[in-house]
Amino acid sequence: MALDQSFVGRSYPPTDPYEVGREKIREFAVAVGDANPVYTDPDAAKAFGHLDVIAPPTFVFAITFAAAGQVVEDPQLGLDYSRVVHGDQKFAYSRPVRAGDRLSVTSTIEAVKSMAGNDIIDIRGEVHDETGEHVVTAWTKLVSRAPEEA
Amino acid sequence: MTAQIKYADVEVGTELPAGSFPVTRATLVRYAGASGDFNPIHWNEKFAKEVGLPDVIAHGMFTMAEAIRVVTDWVGDPGAVVEYGVRFTKPVVVPNDETGALVEVTAKVAAKLDDHRVRVDLTAMSAGQKVLGMSRAVVVLA
């Protein structure tokens, strides 16, 4: 069933802050096999001008996707999450995410489309730190695949 | 943002050192824990097949994280990456064996922009298939 177009432009309340921990960044870097010391050694990070260890470029997705759950699980929208696949992902950074950041996400529905029975939704997540400084914007395209014909 | 590569030293077409990233079931379990994405299509073969997949597949975000390493290894400072986007075109199928799958990434400078920025276009392949489309990063060079 086609999604309701009136959801386009809808924003959800900012999420409670997520505190980025050094050990969580280390765990993520290990999980993707990335030994860049900027992720684990504050001195290496400072040598590049960062205040503390920074997170890999895709780390923030875990935070923005959790925030997008507000949209995905909105019963009024009626997205069938069991059929959802990740279509596109994009990030635009004002600065890298770093240990100690307390990040809050505001999610907005940018577009809702139906193509060949598939529901497609574009969600923009604006990520700010606790001082209100913009850190990164994440765009996520989710595709809810049409059920197969019986 | 202090990249180790100089803007003046690259031109359109400059190739970055390629990367080759193995992924096994154990890799996916570790990534699921680190990322919080516990969708069973990334670890449960029975579930994956029931929803029409050939086998367990890697998280798209895992593949995206591996691909950008070609860029971050090249510039040194991952903070030099100011934009990064991909389209998930094909899944990375991960068989239940010691070898798993391999994600092979190549990249080249596609455009020189203003303010010492360049656009890098990436290609990520696995089992002969292009697994990321429209894969682009914008990086600030020295």
Side-chain angles (χ1 to χ4, degrees):
Chain A
M1 192 168 61
L3 296 175
D4 186 346
Q5 281 292 324
S6 71
F7 277 80
V8 176
R10 181 173 298 205
S11 284
Y12 291 75
T15 56
D16 289 337
Y18 173 104
E19 184 166 327
V20 179
R22 283 184 185 176
E23 294 302 333
K24 191 64 192 177
I25 292 174
R26 178 197 302 274
E27 182 189 8
F28 188 93
V30 168
V32 298
D34 196 332
N36 194 323
V38 173
Y39 302 137
T40 51
D41 176 359
D43 290 335
K46 283 169 189 162
F48 282 120
H50 303 299
L51 296 174
D52 202 330
V53 294
I54 63 168
T58 62
F59 174 90
V60 78
F61 178 77
I63 305 167
T64 58
F65 191 62
Q70 291 174 295
V71 181
V72 170
E73 291 157 16
D74 185 337
Q76 291 181 58
L77 180 64
L79 195 68
D80 179 1
Y81 188 65
S82 72
R83 310 200 59 80
V84 164
V85 295
H86 198 177
D88 290 42
Q89 183 62 41
K90 185 181 174 189
F91 302 102
Y93 286 89
S94 293
R95 67 160 174 84
V97 169
R98 60 177 173 252
D101 272 338
R102 289 172 58 81
L103 302 177
S104 182
V105 187
T106 304
S107 299
T108 300
I109 298 178
E110 281 204 328
V112 170
K113 288 176 205 147
S114 290
M115 286 175 66
N118 299 317
D119 287 326
I120 302 165
I121 184 161
D122 290 300
I123 302 167
R124 186 182 78 243
E126 298 283 359
V127 182
H128 293 87
D129 69 14
E130 65 184 336
T131 70
E133 181 191 0
H134 178 263
V135 178
V136 54
T137 300
W139 289 268
T140 301
K141 185 187 291 292
L142 299 176
V143 181
S144 182
R145 294 167 298 150
E148 286 92 14
E149 296 295 326
Chain B
M1 316 239 178
T2 42
Q4 291 165 336
I5 303 289
K6 288 192 169 63
Y7 180 80
D9 291 345
V10 304
E11 50 197 272
V12 171
T14 296
E15 293 194 15
L16 281 59
S20 192
F21 307 103
V23 44
T24 66
R25 294 288 177 87
T27 317
L28 296 184
V29 170
R30 189 173 289 122
Y31 183 79
S35 68
D37 182 348
F38 297 104
N39 188 328
I41 61 175
H42 305 306
W43 51 269
N44 184 330
E45 196 166 312
K46 177 170 171 285
F47 184 91
K49 287 179 173 167
E50 276 171 7
V51 296
L53 294 167
D55 204 334
V56 161
I57 63 168
H59 307 69
M61 290 308 300
F62 172 83
T63 308
M64 188 176 183
E66 295 300 333
I68 197 65
R69 287 176 56 193
V70 166
V71 179
T72 56
D73 285 350
W74 180 61
V75 294
D77 177 12
V81 175
V82 291
E83 280 183 39
Y84 179 34
V86 305
R87 174 162 296 166
F88 301 108
T89 50
K90 293 278 183 194
V92 174
V93 178
V94 182
N96 185 21
D97 58 28
E98 300 295 310
T99 338
L102 197 63
V103 176
E104 294 176 279
V105 181
T106 55
K108 63 182 180 190
V109 175
K112 290 188 82 172
L113 312 171
D114 55 6
D115 297 332
H116 283 231
R117 294 175 308 142
V118 297
R119 194 186 95 213
V120 174
D121 286 2
L122 300 118
T123 303
M125 306 285 293
S126 187
Q129 299 238 349
K130 194 172 176 181
V131 293
L132 297 178
M134 302 288 291
S135 182
R136 296 171 167 184
V138 175
V139 193
V140 183
L141 300 182

